[in-house]
Amino acid sequence: MEEKEKKKHHMSMRTFLLITILSLVLLVMAGVSLGVIYFAGQTASNSLLDQTQDQAERLADQIALHHFRIQSSQNTLDADLSETAFLAGGRILVIDQNYRIQKDTFSFQQDSYIISENIMSVMNGDKEMQSWIRNSYAEVILPIKDEDGTILGVIVSTATAKPIEQRYDTIVRNTLILDGIVLAGVILAALLISKLSVRGLRDMNRRISYISEGNLEVKLPEKGFRETCYLAKNYNGVIAKLADIDTTRQEFVSDVSHELKTPITSMKVLAESLLQNEGATTEDYREFMTDIVDEIDRETKIINDLLALVKTDRQNVVMNFAETNINDLIDVIMRRVAPLAQARNIELTYESYKQVTADVDEVKLSLVISNLVENAVKYNVDNGWVRITLNSDHKFFYIKVADSGVGIPEDAKDKVFERFYRVGKDRSRDTGGTGLGLAIARAAINAHGGTIRLYSESGKGTTFTVRIPIRQEEIKAADELIDDGTTAEVADPADEKE
């Protein structure tokens, strides 16, 4: 199977363009050439028939005028007939009403009788004339009429078609020569076009091959055709994102190391202080051990948050969706956070516009709501307020957590969801924060197929709005919208109600 894969070859874009252009041009040239040859032949044939007809009409008028006295010394009819037939390279027959041949320029059937269907149809007036080209000859049969239109006989005039055939052969030969010249020019143009068309892609491919070796600082030039510019721009965006991810990964490892090392360092310092203090009392031991326990609790919280973050990673998460009453879930969280708010005289209010039941993972959603509400209380001002609202439409339910707290600076809004990022590190540590709460919340919301939006102004409070599908089949529809490159802004009903 692997050998077959290795032997598989793909057609290059340049070859495809070359074959396509040549195929289209050959089809057009073949159609045009055949059309030119056909119409040239038809035009020449019609011209010969018209010329033969004109000569026959002229002779027929003269024959009628002289009442078939062809060999009379008083006219030159006989000479005119012979000369016309000779110049046309053909033969002329003059036939009277009795189907007797009055004149045969070849003299083969002179004074004999002739009867044919075509001659009879013209003689009887059934057809105005007969004309055709066959066996390398053009033939015309016309009636000979007197002044009152009575048919006196017919004239059969033939002319050689060899000049037409020679002209036709010349046209075919010249057309083929022209086709050859055009085809050679088209091949050169197609080679040039195909080369220019893929030149940018080949350059991009070489650069991508170089980038694939880990040189993420290399960028693709955004030049050339519109499509290659878009491709280069999007690829550069992906590379920039990969570079950011690589930087974030390195920072994450560094932050994890630092965060885990800090409590251990503190515990080591406390333990060494006890060992070095030979006269330490029981109270000293109790105080130092209390501090060590606090550092252990802090270490445990960091580890638990890291585990929670890994478990809510959308690629690895196992979701236990079940139909859950969101109103009751928020009520439970409100009662749990209420003592923390009362300790700082913060007004904690909850307003539900609708009874909402949705398919969610209750444990992970509780983690999200608890984190948002606790942050709103922790990073608030004394005597402030926190408002939680719940609303829904036919597809989504919305949870809004707004506070009157210290707010988030403009330059930090895009970073608050990053792991270990803290707007104020000293203040976060004072409140027991690890910088993982919002990262965990966003990961859990993403695992539900939802979104979280942040509105904040430094010193004027913060508002988080969470949107989650009521039924989990909505996640698939949302993913399809993303795959199609389209997005739809869904208004928050809570915004309209307030």
Side-chain angles (χ1 to χ4, degrees):
M1 185 68 180
E2 293 182 357
E3 292 181 358
K4 290 183 178 179
E5 289 291 336
K6 291 180 181 179
K7 292 180 179 179
K8 187 176 181 180
H9 296 284
H10 297 280
M11 179 184 293
S12 68
M13 184 182 293
R14 183 178 180 182
T15 303
F16 175 78
L17 287 173
L18 184 60
I19 293 175
T20 301
I21 293 173
L22 291 179
S23 299
L24 291 174
V25 170
L26 286 174
L27 286 174
V28 173
M29 286 178 56
V32 171
S33 298
L34 290 175
V36 169
I37 293 172
Y38 172 78
F39 285 113
Q42 288 293 108
T43 301
S45 299
N46 292 335
S47 177
L48 178 61
L49 288 173
D50 291 341
Q51 182 180 355
T52 305
Q53 180 180 342
D54 291 341
Q55 292 174 347
E57 288 176 350
R58 177 178 61 79
L59 294 173
D61 292 340
Q62 292 183 17
I63 293 170
L65 180 64
H66 293 90
H67 303 287
F68 279 82
R69 291 193 295 271
I70 297 173
Q71 297 178 350
S72 172
S73 59
Q74 298 178 355
N75 61 63
T76 60
L77 268 177
D78 186 52
D80 287 345
L81 289 170
S82 298
E83 183 179 0
T84 302
F86 174 78
L87 293 175
R91 180 182 183 186
I92 295 177
L93 298 176
V94 179
I95 305 169
D96 62 17
Q97 287 179 323
N98 298 318
Y99 296 94
R100 182 170 177 266
I101 298 175
Q102 293 288 337
K103 175 62 178 178
D104 179 3
T105 56
F106 278 8
S107 301
F108 294 154
Q109 293 180 302
Q110 185 72 36
D111 296 326
S112 62
Y113 293 87
I114 183 171
I115 297 176
S116 72
E117 183 178 352
N118 292 325
I119 293 175
M120 290 180 64
S121 64
V122 175
M123 186 77 77
N124 297 331
D126 296 334
K127 293 186 177 181
E128 286 294 328
M129 63 169 289
Q130 291 272 41
S131 64
W132 57 82
I133 294 179
R134 60 188 176 190
N135 298 328
S136 300
Y137 279 92
E139 184 171 345
V140 175
I141 303 176
L142 288 174
I144 301 173
K145 298 179 181 180
D146 60 9
E147 294 180 355
D148 59 4
T150 301
I151 296 176
L152 304 177
V154 297
I155 182 172
V156 179
S157 178
T158 62
T160 182
K162 288 182 179 180
I164 293 179
E165 293 175 353
Q166 294 174 353
R167 192 184 310 170
Y168 183 81
D169 292 340
T170 301
I171 292 173
V172 171
R173 183 172 59 256
N174 292 339
T175 301
L176 292 176
I177 293 173
L178 180 61
D179 286 346
I181 296 172
V182 172
L183 183 60
V186 168
I187 291 175
L188 293 176
L191 288 171
L192 180 61
I193 291 172
S194 61
K195 182 178 180 180
L196 292 176
S197 299
V198 302
R199 183 174 61 182
L201 292 177
R202 286 188 171 183
D203 181 59
M204 291 174 65
N205 189 44
R206 287 193 296 269
R207 290 175 180 266
I208 290 172
S209 178
Y210 182 65
I211 293 172
S212 66
E213 297 176 358
N215 303 291
L216 299 181
E217 69 280 0
V218 177
K219 302 296 182 182
L220 296 179
E222 298 177 13
K223 61 182 182 179
F225 295 107
R226 182 185 303 172
E227 290 77 10
T228 54
C229 286
Y230 287 160
L231 179 60
K233 183 177 180 180
N234 293 333
Y235 189 83
N236 288 336
V238 172
I239 294 301
K241 187 67 176 177
L242 289 176
D244 290 341
I245 292 173
D246 187 60
T247 302
T248 302
R249 178 183 60 80
Q250 295 176 7
E251 292 176 352
F252 176 70
V253 172
S254 175
D255 289 341
V256 169
S257 300
H258 175 75
E259 294 294 335
L260 293 178
K261 183 180 178 181
T262 301
I264 294 175
T265 302
S266 298
M267 287 186 285
K268 182 180 179 181
V269 171
L270 290 169
E272 289 177 347
S273 298
L274 280 176
L275 291 174
Q276 293 173 2
N277 188 1
E278 297 179 356
T281 63
T282 303
E283 289 300 323
D284 292 334
Y285 273 95
R286 185 181 299 277
E287 181 182 352
F288 275 76
M289 291 305 296
T290 300
D291 292 339
I292 290 174
V293 170
D294 289 340
E295 292 299 326
I296 292 174
D297 289 340
R298 181 181 170 190
E299 184 93 0
T300 302
K301 180 173 177 57
I302 294 173
I303 293 172
N304 289 337
D305 282 351
L306 285 171
L307 291 174
L309 185 62
V310 172
K311 290 179 180 179
T312 52
D313 189 337
R314 190 168 184 179
Q315 293 180 350
N316 304 314
V317 66
V318 176
M319 301 295 290
N320 299 312
F321 291 111
E323 192 170 0
T324 305
N325 189 308
I326 308 301
N327 304 74
D328 293 342
L329 182 63
I330 297 178
D331 281 333
V332 172
I333 295 171
M334 291 290 291
R335 288 195 295 271
R336 188 168 65 239
V337 180
L340 181 63
Q342 291 171 359
R344 299 179 57 195
N345 197 27
I346 294 175
E347 181 186 5
L348 188 63
T349 60
Y350 165 50
E351 185 175 7
S352 173
Y353 293 100
K354 293 180 181 179
Q355 286 294 319
V356 179
T357 301
D359 297 333
V360 298
D361 186 316
E362 185 174 352
V363 174
K364 294 180 178 62
L365 185 59
S366 296
L367 189 64
V368 172
I369 301 173
S370 297
N371 183 277
L372 295 178
V373 176
E374 288 176 4
N375 282 351
V377 174
K378 290 178 181 178
Y379 304 119
N380 211 322
V381 295
D382 292 340
N383 303 315
W385 51 263
V386 176
R387 295 170 185 165
I388 299 95
T389 58
L390 173 66
N391 205 346
S392 68
D393 55 26
H394 64 291
K395 287 186 177 182
F396 303 93
F397 70 89
Y398 305 85
I399 299 172
K400 179 188 289 185
V401 180
D403 65 60
S404 60
V406 296
I408 299 174
E410 189 68 28
D411 58 351
K413 290 181 181 178
D414 295 334
K415 301 178 181 179
V416 294
F417 293 104
E418 295 178 4
R419 301 162 181 177
F420 291 111
Y421 181 81
R422 289 185 289 252
V423 177
K425 294 188 177 181
D426 294 336
R427 183 187 66 193
S428 298
R429 288 197 176 101
D430 292 340
T431 56
T434 63
L436 292 172
L438 288 178
I440 295 171
R442 184 173 65 174
I445 292 169
N446 289 341
H448 280 83
T451 59
I452 182 169
R453 293 185 294 181
L454 164 65
Y455 305 92
S456 183
E457 187 175 348
S458 184
K460 295 185 179 180
T462 302
T463 300
F464 286 93
T465 301
V466 177
R467 185 188 74 175
I468 295 177
I470 294 177
R471 298 288 172 256
Q472 279 306 303
E473 54 264 23
E474 299 295 342
I475 294 179
K476 183 178 180 181
D479 289 341
E480 289 176 353
L481 281 177
I482 294 173
D483 291 340
D484 290 340
T486 59
T487 57
E489 287 293 333
V490 180
D492 184 354
D495 293 337
E496 300 175 0
K497 300 261 185 173
E498 291 187 340

